Amino acid sequence: MRRFKVASPAIVSLEDEIAQLRGLDLTVLRSRWQSVTGREAPFHLSRQLLFSMIAYRIQAEALGDLDAVTLRLLKKIGLKHSDREHMALTEAFDQRRRMLSPGTVLTREWNGQTYRVMVVSEGFAWDGRTYDSLSKIASAITGTQWNGPRFFGLRDRTPAEAAS
């Protein structure tokens, strides 16, 4: 497979090259696709999709492509057929991405007061104490049971909450 070629930065900037693509009609975009990939553009692709794919490749060539973990995830998703499997894969990826390093400070405003919690190697430090879970801190702050990661904005709402 041939790689997309990006013009020299001294001649055309990345932004200018993509702006030029924006003005091309479908026929010219198909021609551009063929010149950079060495094969014909798939007939079913719309003008917008061709533009997006070419622009992505130009940016990836200039700035670097996705990391290996993300590429593997996208390949796995492409092989799956059910939305449930897609959700499980993307949730697992999000969980890894949200792993908190010691020194990270989580902030939450509750009833007009701002609370700051620091991630430490033993758990979470707040109000002069170390807790083993964010849920215990969230419960101490609110006086009610809370999912700690959700309270501190580390997890999205559940589908039932989103629907209401």
Side-chain angles (χ1 to χ4, degrees):
M1 178 173 112
R2 281 184 35 197
R3 309 283 280 171
F4 284 83
K5 293 182 180 163
V6 178
S8 166
I11 299 170
V12 179
S13 72
L14 182 60
E15 293 84 11
D16 290 340
E17 191 161 351
I18 292 172
Q20 289 172 358
L21 281 177
R22 232 182 262 298
L24 302 178
D25 67 20
L26 181 59
T27 305
V28 179
L29 277 174
R30 288 183 184 285
S31 177
R32 176 73 189 265
W33 176 277
Q34 185 164 8
S35 71
V36 294
T37 66
R39 57 184 195 265
E40 286 189 33
F43 183 73
H44 66 281
L45 296 181
S46 68
R47 182 201 168 282
Q48 181 60 40
L49 191 51
L50 272 175
F51 160 76
S52 296
M53 292 170 74
I54 294 169
Y56 173 82
R57 288 306 331 148
I58 289 171
Q59 291 175 74
E61 287 294 320
L63 305 172
D65 209 340
L66 297 172
D67 61 88
V69 171
T70 303
L71 286 172
R72 277 194 304 274
L73 172 70
L74 292 173
K75 285 179 184 176
K76 271 183 155 178
I77 288 173
L79 298 174
K80 301 293 181 181
H81 298 290
S82 80
D83 287 340
R84 184 172 295 164
E85 290 170 331
H86 289 199
M87 292 290 287
L89 286 170
T90 54
E91 285 173 9
F93 182 75
D94 285 343
Q95 292 258 320
R96 284 193 304 272
R97 189 183 65 193
R98 285 192 289 244
M99 294 190 74
L100 303 172
S101 302
T104 301
V105 176
L106 305 173
T107 304
R108 168 69 196 254
E109 186 176 325
W110 178 259
N111 288 338
Q113 187 172 349
T114 301
Y115 296 90
R116 288 180 177 75
V117 173
M118 180 175 282
V119 179
V120 294
S121 58
E122 303 82 32
F124 305 93
W126 173 70
D127 200 27
R129 292 182 51 201
T130 301
Y131 295 79
D132 61 349
S133 77
L134 285 173
S135 296
K136 289 180 181 176
I137 296 172
S139 294
I141 290 170
T142 65
T144 61
Q145 289 293 101
W146 269 88
N147 175 298
R150 186 171 294 139
F151 180 80
F152 285 98
L154 300 174
R155 242 186 232 158
D156 294 332
R157 297 184 307 175
T158 64
E161 290 172 327
S164 60

